[in-house]
Amino acid sequence: MRPQLGQNIGKAARAMLNFGLTEMRLVAPRDGWPNPDAGPSASGANIVLEQAELFDTVEAAIADCSTVYASTVRRRDLVMPVVTPELMAEGIASDSGRSAILFGPERSGLETDDVALANAIVTVPINPEFGSLNLAQAVILLAYEWSKRSALAVPPAKELEPVAPHGELEGLIEQLDEALVERGYFHPPSRTQATRNTIRTIFTKTGWSSREVKAVRGILRALVSPARKR
């Protein structure tokens, strides 16, 4: 509400679209709307700016919202719930109605009367010695928290290889054990079993694939076999 610079509106739009939010509502921007300075700062988030709705008052902007969170520091002059970004996101996810996050002007933030229109205050945990977030930073932090509960497209994870059967790991461990015995690795004898248990733990807790087991066994064979002439 009452944003002062077109650049900050554009940066807020960019932050929103990064995390899948497209419905921006502007309340009485100081320099009017549309603002030519917003586009370059949006860095391609044109859909947010093109669809942005303009309102004269906060009351009009949130009239169709069932839950409103005011992004501001804890206010001692108001008795109302104060939640973390995580709790805010959980509330939005569980709310069947429309939710809104209200941000104030860059210089002064939300005034008491504006905050009073919200259902709760959402406050980002921040260094008490330097609590200086700009508008876009505040937007991106809360948008990111919301996005963790949304169905945003994410890069497909590389399909993991199946974990090798236990028998294959046993074969690897036995092969390594034989090579270590041959080289006199286990010393003193009183520590032999403890050392073997440590080695077993190394190979059984990492989720080796069959391909990886075969690769390591090949390495062991190469190490214990006579060097081949090339």
Side-chain angles (χ1 to χ4, degrees):
M1 62 168 303
R2 296 191 299 277
Q4 296 166 316
L5 298 175
Q7 295 97 319
N8 288 333
I9 297 174
K11 291 175 183 178
R14 179 182 182 181
M16 288 172 60
L17 193 57
N18 272 321
F19 296 102
L21 295 171
T22 58
E23 296 184 43
M24 172 183 278
R25 298 183 177 187
L26 300 172
V27 177
R30 185 190 67 182
D31 297 332
W33 189 256
N35 188 314
D37 293 331
S41 298
S43 299
N46 298 327
I47 187 174
V48 179
L49 299 180
E50 291 167 0
Q51 296 180 358
E53 298 181 68
L54 185 63
F55 296 86
D56 293 327
T57 65
V58 177
E59 290 91 337
I62 63 175
D64 62 342
C65 299
S66 58
T67 306
V68 178
Y69 295 91
S71 175
T72 185
V73 296
R74 183 185 298 271
R75 302 292 291 261
R76 299 185 183 278
D77 52 344
L78 290 172
V79 179
M80 63 190 306
V82 178
V83 300
T84 63
E86 182 179 15
L87 289 176
M88 176 210 71
E90 291 175 358
I92 292 175
S94 61
D95 192 342
S96 59
R98 183 180 291 275
S99 298
I101 306 172
L102 182 62
F103 298 90
E106 298 93 319
R107 185 179 299 276
S108 58
L110 292 169
E111 296 181 0
T112 299
D113 290 346
D114 303 320
V115 178
L117 297 173
N119 301 96
I121 289 172
V122 56
T123 296
V124 176
I126 195 170
N127 180 5
E129 303 299 325
F130 188 70
S132 178
L133 282 179
N134 64 38
L135 176 60
Q137 288 173 329
V139 172
I140 205 167
L141 284 170
L142 298 185
Y144 166 69
E145 192 64 47
W146 171 85
S147 74
K148 292 193 291 186
R149 292 158 183 80
S150 71
L152 280 182
V154 296
K158 182 179 179 180
E159 186 175 347
L160 298 178
E161 297 178 276
V163 177
H166 195 71
E168 292 184 10
L169 284 174
E170 284 298 320
L172 168 59
I173 293 170
E174 289 175 8
Q175 180 183 352
L176 177 60
D177 189 83
E178 290 172 3
L180 293 176
V181 169
E182 185 176 342
R183 295 298 190 276
Y185 176 80
F186 296 109
H187 185 80
S190 60
R191 294 289 305 162
T192 296
Q193 190 56 50
T195 304
R196 281 179 166 144
N197 290 342
T198 299
I199 293 172
R200 177 176 295 280
T201 300
I202 292 171
F203 286 97
T204 55
K205 74 177 182 180
T206 54
W208 295 76
S209 68
S210 295
R211 179 182 59 83
E212 292 166 335
V213 170
K214 290 177 182 177
V216 174
R217 295 196 69 171
I219 293 171
L220 288 174
R221 284 193 295 271
L223 290 175
V224 300
S225 300
R228 290 184 295 178
K229 294 182 179 180
R230 298 185 178 277

